[in-house]
Amino acid sequence: MRFRGTRAVLLTGVAAGALLTTAAVTVPAAAATPAAAPAAAQQTYYPVAPGYSVNVRSGPGTQYRTVRVLPVGAKVAIFCQRPGEKVTGPYGTSSVWDNIGVGEYVSDAYVKTGSDGYVAPRCA
């Protein structure tokens, strides 16, 4: 039996008229999912440059295939960043690529992060 989302779980029950013993199961803090939930709720979204629809690539460069296109006015969450092809856009020239989803990258030169450097952890 698996327990998720709590640090301690108390189990009690009655089986064939006999009281089962009470047991506590401790889940390590790193394995508890509620700790991760607030971080997702506090995710920062960055606007894409006004007036631009931006190609989302499968990797950190224009040689990677386009997986979708962000519409004008889109905002993106940046989960991690990695170096890649140098691109010039409305926010300057940058070799930083923003990971906005699984297998989805956009050039940081098209995202208003307020920084010329990294604003998220480097991708593994």
Side-chain angles (χ1 to χ4, degrees), residues 55-67:
N55 289 332
V56 177
R57 304 279 183 171
S58 62
T62 58
Q63 73 275 19
Y64 290 90
R65 69 180 177 84
T66 300
V67 294

Side-chain angles (χ1 to χ4, degrees), residues 29-60:
T33 54
Q42 297 173 6
Q43 181 67 48
T44 300
Y45 287 82
Y46 299 93
V48 171
Y52 287 86
S53 58
V54 176
N55 289 332
V56 177
R57 304 279 183 171
S58 62

Side-chain angles (χ1 to χ4, degrees), residues 20-110:
L20 296 175
T21 58
T22 301
V25 177
T26 302
V27 178
T33 54
Q42 297 173 6
Q43 181 67 48
T44 300
Y45 287 82
Y46 299 93
V48 171
Y52 287 86
S53 58
V54 176
N55 289 332
V56 177
R57 304 279 183 171
S58 62
T62 58
Q63 73 275 19
Y64 290 90
R65 69 180 177 84
T66 300
V67 294
R68 66 184 173 115
V69 178
L70 295 175
V72 172
K75 291 184 178 186
V76 295
I78 300 173
F79 299 106
C80 63
Q81 295 175 298
R82 68 183 314 160
E85 178 185 351
K86 190 177 282 192
V87 173
T88 299
Y91 297 117
T93 300
S94 178
S95 61
V96 175
W97 284 75
D98 305 330
N99 175 257
I100 62 168
V102 176
E104 295 186 337
Y105 294 87
V106 295
S107 171
D108 197 60
Y110 286 87

Side-chain angles (χ1 to χ4, degrees), residues 2-7 9 27 31-34:
R2 290 184 147 170
F3 302 101
R4 296 182 190 176
T6 58
R7 291 190 182 271
V9 177
V27 178
T33 54

